[in-house]
Amino acid sequence: MTPRVKALLQLALLHRAWAGADPADPDLAGVAATVDQVWRSPDHPRLLTVEPRYARQFQLMHGALAPAGLPAGGPHRAVLAEAVAGDFLTPRRKSPYLHLETRYYAELARVPHRLADYPELYRISRLAGHTDGRPIDELDVCNVTHTVFHLADFGFRDPGLDAADLAHARDRVCRLTERCVRRGEWDLTGKLLLAQHCLGLDPLSTPSGAAGLRLLAEVQTPEGAVPGRSAADRTGPDASPVAFFRASYQSTLVVALATVVLLHRGAAVPAPGGAR
């Protein structure tokens, strides 16, 4: 997937959360206009299939994240129809992580599927399988955080874990946050702060969360950008606009999403997408 396509899918995810949390915010208008323009474009869908191996997943995400107000016969409808054709929305040959992600976006798109329910998908996840005594470095941060995001709808619903599973997930997420803050990993820290919130924690009140918030506040530019994915690959002031975008868009959008959700805790659940 090209950086442009990935950035636009992440922007659409930010738009969905922002529109659900604070639809009257005047700063939302620019994001909404960009997402609306791209999702109406008949030329954009072909970019989703540049990498055939991932095309169906990207098409499903594109259809699920379609903003409200699009015409019924818009390009996003054909994209979604192509994504869900055949046996794609079944467990066939899917890793636990991909199975959960597909389940989440199928639900968001309001399309029929034969995928497992969320409790079962948590039970077979790497997060659930990380037993006590094993090194925390065995866990992949992106796998852990996106497992939590999909269970909790990025903080807009309860993750559905019992007391023991919730304590287990909180422990791993806080320990991973400590590690990423210590290493200056900005992108991963942003994801973990949002994951803490999704698990019912207040990042302002946990030691690792407070340290993570301080870290991100210190590195943001005056415009709000996070200049790279970590301190080790920070983009310098002499970088071209294209180079700066490629280095910073991921972390910047992650931090923006976490900020929107954390600032509007208790907001209503955003309406599902895709079926408009």
Side-chain angles (χ1 to χ4, degrees):
M1 179 164 49
T2 66
R4 172 183 169 83
V5 170
K6 186 174 181 181
L8 286 168
L9 286 172
Q10 292 177 338
L11 188 68
L13 192 60
L14 171 63
H15 170 259
R16 175 180 178 266
W18 200 343
D22 191 2
D25 188 340
D27 291 331
L28 174 61
V31 173
T34 298
V35 172
D36 187 82
Q37 179 184 15
V38 171
W39 262 249
R40 289 176 185 269
S41 169
D43 299 321
H44 183 69
R46 64 180 176 81
L47 300 178
L48 301 167
T49 60
V50 170
E51 297 183 45
R53 180 182 175 188
Y54 304 108
R56 299 282 288 278
Q57 198 73 8
F58 299 155
Q59 289 173 319
L60 175 62
M61 295 168 68
H62 178 88
L65 293 171
L70 295 179
H76 69 291
R77 296 298 300 164
V79 169
L80 183 60
E82 186 174 345
V84 303
D87 63 356
F88 181 67
L89 297 185
T90 69
R92 183 170 176 264
R93 292 202 302 266
K94 288 180 174 63
S95 67
Y97 174 84
L98 184 60
H99 193 160
L100 176 57
E101 180 179 78
T102 305
R103 172 73 167 78
Y104 173 75
Y105 283 106
E107 179 182 74
L108 198 60
R110 295 186 290 192
V111 292
H113 62 81
R114 288 181 285 154
L115 299 161
D117 61 19
Y118 288 115
E120 179 181 345
L121 290 170
Y122 175 74
R123 285 194 296 271
I124 62 174
S125 70
R126 291 184 182 178
L127 173 58
H130 188 264
T131 54
D132 292 342
R134 292 170 62 181
I136 196 67
D137 285 350
E138 289 184 358
L139 286 172
D140 177 81
V141 173
C142 290
N143 186 293
V144 168
T145 54
H146 283 265
T147 295
V148 173
F149 296 160
H150 296 145
L151 291 172
D153 190 14
F154 289 86
F156 287 97
R157 70 177 173 219
D158 188 280
L161 302 178
D162 64 26
D165 287 338
L166 185 61
H168 173 90
R170 287 175 171 178
D171 173 77
R172 272 41 175 196
V173 165
C174 286
R175 288 164 61 192
L176 286 169
T177 308
E178 292 172 0
R179 188 194 72 179
C180 290
V181 170
R182 187 169 61 250
R183 295 179 177 179
E185 294 172 331
W186 305 330
D187 173 55
L188 298 181
T189 296
K191 291 180 179 182
L192 287 159
L193 293 177
L194 180 54
Q196 287 195 19
H197 166 75
C198 290
L199 294 171
L201 297 171
D202 179 1
L204 286 168
S205 300
T206 66
S208 62
L213 289 166
R214 288 194 299 271
L215 172 70
L216 296 177
E218 290 168 358
V219 303
Q220 282 184 294
T221 69
E223 297 78 22
V226 179
R229 301 190 69 170
S230 69
D233 61 10
R234 182 172 192 148
T235 303
D238 297 331
S240 69
V242 171
F244 187 84
F245 169 80
R246 286 178 177 270
S248 66
Y249 79 87
Q250 165 92 7
S251 300
T252 300
L253 287 171
V254 164
V255 172
L257 176 61
T259 300
V260 164
V261 174
L262 289 171
L263 285 177
H264 299 91
R265 282 170 282 189
V269 178
R276 291 176 282 272

